Structures are given as C-alpha cells and as structure tokens.
C-alpha cells in the first residue's frame, strides 16, 4: 500500500515514515505542500496530511487530492482544536482526524482500518489495472489521470464487466440527460489508455470485455 505523508516537523515526519516502512507500507514523505503537490498524481492509496504546512495548506492539498482521487482515504493529523478548521477538513473530504500528539500505533490502526476496505485491483489487460475502491486506473503501475466524467464512465463499465452498458444509462448517470458528448468522452479515454479495452456495441452502448 502506497502512502503519501505530508508533515513539516522533521522528527515526526521521519518517525512516522520509519515506523510505517517497518510495517510494510511504502511511504513517500514530504516536508512541504508544494513539493507534495508536484507528486500527487503518482498513484497513492492513502494520504496522511498535516493542516499547517509550509507554502500551501493541508486543506488546499486536500482539495487537489479530491480532484484526482475521489475516494482514496485521507487522514488529517494536526494539533489544532479549532472546530471550524476541523469541520472544513471533513467538508473538503477528509476521512479521519488524529489530534497531535498521538500514539503512532493509533495511526497504524486507522490506516489498517482503511486497508481492509480497499478492494483488490482488477486487471483489465496486461499491465492495466483498475481499483474500484479508489477509482483509479494504472498502466504498468503509473497512474492515468482522469477527469470526473471519464472516471464515472470507466466506473460504470468496470461495474458491468462483459455486459453492454446502454448509451441512455451512461448519459443519464454522467450528465443527467441525453447528450452528444459521450462519443467525445470515449475518444479521450481511448487516447489516454494505452490498451484498447473499450468496445463499441453499435446502436447499443459500450462494454469492457
């Protein structure tokens, strides 16, 4: 499981990384938000973020995460007792909050709880995997960044493997109405995904088979 840690206190950052590495996690650690932001698309399964970090706030980082990873777990760690700030973190999409100082084993327990919720990756083709829980697709372990609509479309198809998903259903689920944009969306996805997995059933819909 690949984790991103953003914590500006050097000793705490090193302690968390060393401990979680020893437990078998792959931890990519950063001391400031901007450096983390440059690497945010590199296929993470969970994020651990301090709110008060240099250059860009944890809340702003959280907003960027949710644009790329709609459902990947995010744990906020912070010394703040400001309920308005904590509420904002949950509103922006954090899944859990851990107040500093904390026992590192408690952090591990929270991570393990989310780990149990993560489903196994689905192999769509050689080197191409899709994680239903995190709604992310990777080719040779590299994350392929999708828009919200592209992600919804791919989720619909992966939830109906080997079954044709009708045009009307896709349009309703993504746009809420009939639209001419579906074909354009499919073309964009085909350009992004190196393997041709999306098949067109003329007059019916689309299928991954």
């Amino acid at each position: 499981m690949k984790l991103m840690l953003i914590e500006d206190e050097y000793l705490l950052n090193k302690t968390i990384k060393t401990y979680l590495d020893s437990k078998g996690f792959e931890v990519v650690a950063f001391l400031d938000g901007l450096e983390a932001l440059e690497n945010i698309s590199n296929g993470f399964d969970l994020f651990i973020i301090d709110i008060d970090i240099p250059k860009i706030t944890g809340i702003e980082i959280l907003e960027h995460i949710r644009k790329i990873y709609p459902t990947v777990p995010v744990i906020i760690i912070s010394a703040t007792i400001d309920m308005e700030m904590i509420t904002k973190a949950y509103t922006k999409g954090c899944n859990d909050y851990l107040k500093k100082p904390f026992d590192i084993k408690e952090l591990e327990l929270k991570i393990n709880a989310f780990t149990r919720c993560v489903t196994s990756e689905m192999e769509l083709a050689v080197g191409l995997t899709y994680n239903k829980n995190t709604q992310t697709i990777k080719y040779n372990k590299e994350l392929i960044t999708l828009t919200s609509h592209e992600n919804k479309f791919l989720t619909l198809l992966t939830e109906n493997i080997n079954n044709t998903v009708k045009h009307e259903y896709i349009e309703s689920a993504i746009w809420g109405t009939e639209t001419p944009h579906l074909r354009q969306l499919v073309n964009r996805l085909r350009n992004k995904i190196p393997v041709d997995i999306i098949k067109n059933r003329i007059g019916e819909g689309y299928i991954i088979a």
Side-chain angles (χ1 to χ4, degrees):
M1 190 177 193
K2 186 177 180 181
L3 316 181
M4 175 181 280
L5 168 66
I6 312 173
E7 168 57 62
D8 66 319
E9 295 179 35
Y10 177 79
L11 290 179
L12 180 57
N13 186 304
K14 185 176 180 180
T15 299
I16 293 174
K17 175 174 170 53
T18 301
Y19 180 81
L20 294 179
D21 280 342
S22 73
K23 296 297 180 177
F25 296 103
E26 179 187 353
V27 182
V28 182
F30 299 94
L31 293 168
D32 73 74
L34 284 183
E35 186 182 2
L37 194 59
E38 292 173 359
N39 294 273
I40 210 167
S41 299
N42 294 339
F44 291 94
D45 302 301
L46 186 143
F47 293 84
I48 304 166
I49 308 172
D50 186 7
I51 289 179
D52 300 313
I53 50 178
K55 300 180 182 178
I56 182 171
T57 69
I59 298 297
E60 291 173 298
I61 288 286
L62 179 56
E63 291 176 330
H64 283 284
I65 289 171
R66 284 294 170 244
K67 291 176 183 178
I68 301 173
Y69 307 91
T71 60
V72 167
V74 177
I75 300 174
I76 295 291
I77 55 175
S78 177
T80 185
I81 56 173
D82 182 351
M83 279 307 301
E84 184 176 343
M85 182 63 71
I86 296 170
T87 300
K88 188 175 183 180
Y90 277 106
T91 301
K92 295 295 183 180
C94 94
N95 300 92
D96 209 341
Y97 173 83
L98 192 56
K99 185 181 180 302
K100 298 177 183 177
F102 54 83
D103 189 319
I104 198 166
K105 290 185 179 180
E106 183 180 359
L107 176 60
E108 182 189 5
L109 287 172
K110 291 180 179 292
I111 294 171
N112 286 337
F114 286 119
T115 301
R116 288 193 292 270
C117 296
V118 176
T119 59
S120 298
E121 286 187 329
M122 176 190 305
E123 187 171 36
L124 302 178
V126 176
L128 186 70
T129 57
Y130 180 78
N131 190 304
K132 181 180 177 182
N133 184 269
T134 60
Q135 295 184 344
T136 52
I137 186 167
K138 298 178 184 178
Y139 183 66
N140 290 336
K141 298 184 179 180
E142 291 294 324
L143 182 71
I144 299 173
T145 303
L146 304 178
T147 66
S148 175
H149 285 169
E150 290 166 353
N151 196 26
K152 287 180 181 178
F153 175 79
L154 194 60
T155 299
L156 288 174
L157 265 60
T158 55
E159 288 178 345
N160 294 276
I161 289 290
N162 296 320
N163 292 303
T164 300
V165 184
K166 294 187 178 298
H167 295 128
E168 298 82 5
Y169 181 78
I170 296 171
E171 292 168 349
S172 176
I174 297 177
W175 291 280
T177 185
E178 185 176 340
T179 173
H181 300 308
L182 178 55
R183 184 175 295 179
Q184 297 171 15
L185 184 149
V186 173
N187 287 337
R188 288 200 309 270
L189 259 180
R190 283 174 169 160
N191 287 332
K192 287 185 176 183
I193 300 173
V195 185
D196 185 17
I197 58 169
I198 302 171
K199 308 299 181 183
N200 182 18
R201 295 290 185 258
I202 297 175
E204 298 182 40
Y206 294 93
I207 184 174
I208 292 178

